[in-house]
Amino acid sequence: MSFLDIIQILDSTIRLATPLLLACLAGLFSERSGVVDIGLEGKMLVAAFFSAAVAAITGSVWIGLLAGIAAAVVFSLIHGLASITFRGDQLISGVAINFLAAGMTVLIAQDWFQQGSRTPALTGDARFGTIDLPFADALSGVPFLGPLYADALSGHTILVYVGFLAVPATWYVLFRTRFGLRLRAVGENPGAVDTAGVSVVRLRYAAVLICGLLTGLAGAYLATGLAAGFTKDMTAGRGFIALAALIFAKWRPWYALFACLLFGFLQAVSNRYSTLDLGIIEIPNAFVLALPYILTVVILAGFVGRAIPPRAGGQPYVKER
């Protein structure tokens, strides 16, 4: 493997990790508040469709981005209404959202564009362009670090950098603000928060709305940044991969970053090589893709530390009278 191959794999890793990271942080906010959300996949899918569709119609990727975020927020509110207000089963609500998004996007795409459940290819201002970081050209000639900065870290779309900046922002909000303290407390002991005079319902809805915002960014990036349009089921299980990364990261923002980079790296390697020749054995790329899930199961089994979810996760809160 040459140095150029390594740079290209790192570049692909960053691109592929971005939607996982945004969705993982979305699930982090939701589950830290006690609302389990397996509907990340559906919200990403509906955001991907509406961002690409509106961008194709208007010719503006920014209007498409707003449409994708709005669609994901609406689906988040549906999940919040079912699981917080009506105290329904959060898992069933998430599954319903996934099925609704999968069917609705195909139906609307075929009705609007008649192109086999896809949107027209996005070009020009209808999709996000790449951004060169400062001094990328000047540093490209520096051995090792220059190509790493100029070719791997630079040249991504703005949503990639937004995704990575969201990690310290999430850490700060959750662990350095009053809102974050209350949000984490709601996920652990909502009764104590209610006794202190803080609205459990309001906090959980706030977490659900933040989840919708981040999944909207993730879906919009898939359709207008990573790809150039919407195709049927284009999320390809990334919402579930983000959930696995969230468990792997033990519901912590910085761990989530490294977990998503690991998932993205393994996906980049499997996309580039059909088999990995280690000299002694050859590893098929299917095993490389399965490795993060194996590690997640190992962590859940308690062999490498323990992944302990918020204690009130999945439990609807009933206010005592």
Side-chain angles (χ1 to χ4, degrees):
M1 182 183 295
S2 66
F3 183 67
L4 179 59
D5 290 334
I6 295 174
I7 293 296
Q8 291 174 345
I9 289 175
L10 290 178
D11 178 72
S12 297
T13 297
I14 293 173
R15 296 177 191 274
L16 294 171
T18 298
L20 301 179
L21 181 59
L22 287 166
C24 187
L25 294 176
L28 178 64
F29 273 101
S30 183
E31 297 204 6
R32 277 287 190 171
S33 72
V35 180
V36 175
D37 193 353
I38 64 171
L40 298 176
E41 177 84 1
K43 289 194 278 289
M44 288 174 65
L45 187 62
V46 75
F49 168 71
F50 279 101
S51 62
V54 173
I57 293 171
T58 63
S60 171
V61 68
W62 295 105
I63 298 177
L65 174 63
L66 292 177
I69 292 174
V73 166
V74 168
F75 270 58
S76 288
L77 287 175
I78 293 173
H79 181 58
L81 189 67
S83 58
I84 300 172
T85 302
F86 295 120
R87 306 187 187 97
D89 190 297
Q90 296 173 9
L91 296 179
I92 294 176
S93 174
V95 171
I97 285 175
N98 289 336
F99 279 115
L100 176 62
M104 188 182 77
T105 52
V106 170
L107 183 65
I108 299 178
Q110 182 61 27
D111 181 64
W112 284 5
F113 303 108
Q114 292 86 39
Q115 294 188 13
S117 302
R118 66 175 63 221
T119 62
L122 302 178
T123 58
D125 292 335
R127 65 174 308 208
F128 284 105
T130 57
I131 297 175
D132 291 327
L133 295 179
F135 311 111
D137 291 335
L139 295 175
S140 60
V142 178
F144 297 106
L145 295 180
L148 182 65
Y149 178 76
D151 298 328
L153 298 181
S154 181
H156 298 285
T157 65
I158 188 172
L159 291 185
V160 171
Y161 302 113
V162 168
F164 281 86
L165 289 175
V167 176
T170 298
W171 173 83
Y172 181 82
V173 169
L174 285 179
F175 296 100
R176 290 294 184 271
T177 66
R178 180 181 298 179
F179 170 77
L181 175 63
R182 291 175 173 177
L183 191 72
R184 288 183 288 123
V186 163
E188 297 292 337
N189 192 340
V193 175
D194 193 20
T195 302
V198 179
S199 173
V200 173
V201 171
R202 189 176 302 156
L203 280 170
R204 287 189 167 177
Y205 264 109
V208 164
L209 288 174
I210 295 173
C211 177
L213 169 65
L214 291 172
T215 49
L217 291 173
Y221 171 73
L222 280 176
T224 60
L226 189 64
F230 174 84
T231 58
K232 179 182 177 182
D233 295 330
M234 71 177 304
T235 47
R238 285 181 173 90
F240 300 110
I241 297 174
L243 284 175
L246 181 60
I247 297 169
F248 189 81
K250 302 180 181 179
W251 292 270
R252 294 181 178 273
W254 290 109
Y255 291 0
L257 171 61
F258 297 118
C260 292
L261 285 173
L262 172 63
F263 279 56
F265 171 74
L266 294 173
Q267 188 176 354
V269 170
S270 66
N271 288 344
R272 188 171 182 83
Y273 302 104
S274 58
T275 59
L276 287 180
D277 189 358
L278 300 181
I280 302 174
I281 58 173
E282 287 189 355
I283 301 177
N285 65 348
F287 178 80
V288 177
L289 280 176
L291 186 59
Y293 303 100
I294 297 173
L295 294 177
T296 302
V297 172
V298 169
I299 286 183
L300 284 175
F303 293 116
V304 184
R306 295 188 63 190
I308 303 175
R311 284 185 295 177
Q315 302 174 10
Y317 177 67
V318 181
K319 187 179 178 67
E320 296 182 2
R321 299 186 181 276

